[in-house]
Structure formats: structure tokens, C-alpha cells
Amino acid sequence: MSADAPVAPTVTRTPTAAPTTPVIAAPLGTWRYTLYLPHSPLAPSVARATVRTVLRVHGPISLTDRAELLVSELASNAFRYARGPASLRLAWRAGVLRLSVRDTSPELPAPPRTGPWDLTQEGGRGLCLIGEYADRWSCYRLAGRGRQARGSGKVVWCELIA
């Protein structure tokens, strides 16, 4: 091949696949995950990412936005009001997603305020959001050294119905 000979450009055609979103059928059976969260301001972000991933894999995807918001509030409160680590549990059973956060503080949260929200204050809206977007929620103290209790503290939980 001489230097003056024309060279045809090589074109490689790569088939392009249309972006697809996995279609996940309604979740079957029951499942449960537990994530241990260090006492860190990053914990709510990790909790949100975990919820998003678990719901993407198991479904129902339609609950993802509400579940992320609620778990963010639960994990943020655990970081803000407790001094130790927390744990997040995600459980699916019979069409109900339960999100619960266990922390080391035995103090139960004050009931959410009624009436209009004060948007000028930094705090005080988390439980209002939980009350507004969860289908059910509650909390309870842990005590003793039993297998379930694992010391003192509390659990705040909420449920979303698919």
C-alpha cells in the first residue's frame, strides 16, 4: 500500500439497544433485610439507597419514593436523637412494606404537632411527614437483654400498603 493510496475509513456499526427498565412482577413471598447504620450523618443517605435497591429488585417499585422519604426521616431522627448506632429493617409480607429503625435512645418521639407546619423551623416535621405518607406508624421501647431487645433503645416503624 502506497502513501498516496486512498484509505477507506473503517466504520463499525454497533447495534444500539433501547434503554430498558426492568419489569418486576408483584413480589412473592416474604423477605426481610437488616442494615446496621453507624452513628453518622451519612446514615440516612445509605438507608435511602438501600431501600431503593431492595425495592428495585423485589418490588413493588411504586412504593419507592414514599419509602425513601420515610426511611430518610427515620434514619435522620435516629442520628439526631440517639448517641449510638442504629439499624434499619425492611420487611415485606402480604402486600405490606414495613420500615423500622432501631436506635439506642429509650426516649420515644413526641407525637407530631397538629395544625399548620412551621416551615421556618429546622426540625419538627419528620413525624408529620411520617404520619402523612405512611399508612400506619408507631414506636415502642426496647428493654432487657433478650434476643429481640438487644439492650435498651427504641424502634420507630411505619408501613406502606401496596
Side-chain angles (χ1 to χ4, degrees):
M1 183 162 140
S2 72
D4 295 333
V7 177
T10 304
V11 178
T12 306
R13 188 170 183 125
T14 310
T16 57
T20 59
T21 303
V23 177
I24 299 175
L28 301 174
T30 61
W31 48 260
R32 181 173 48 192
Y33 289 88
T34 301
L35 174 67
Y36 296 97
L37 301 167
H39 189 257
S40 165
L42 299 175
S45 176
V46 171
R48 281 191 305 274
T50 300
V51 166
R52 184 179 327 113
T53 300
V54 168
L55 290 179
R56 187 177 330 136
V57 172
H58 285 288
I61 294 174
S62 62
L63 298 180
T64 302
D65 291 339
R66 284 196 304 155
E68 280 188 69
L69 172 69
L70 297 175
V71 81
S72 183
E73 291 300 327
L74 294 173
S76 294
N77 285 348
F79 172 70
R80 185 173 185 180
Y81 297 110
R83 296 189 184 274
S87 61
L88 164 65
R89 179 170 284 176
L90 310 169
W92 173 261
R93 182 173 180 238
V96 177
L97 175 65
R98 180 176 272 212
L99 309 167
S100 56
V101 172
R102 177 196 165 275
D103 66 41
T104 57
S105 171
E107 297 299 317
L108 296 179
R113 290 180 246 162
T114 57
W117 295 7
D118 183 358
L119 299 178
T120 61
Q121 289 190 349
E122 184 177 323
R125 293 181 299 277
L127 287 179
C128 291
L129 287 170
I130 291 169
E132 185 73 24
Y133 291 104
D135 293 306
R136 288 187 292 261
W137 79 275
S138 189
C139 56
Y140 57 90
R141 278 192 185 94
L142 298 171
R145 296 192 174 171
R147 187 169 188 222
Q148 295 291 348
R150 294 187 186 152
S152 65
K154 72 175 169 301
V155 173
V156 181
W157 60 269
C158 63
E159 291 179 338
L160 299 174
I161 300 171

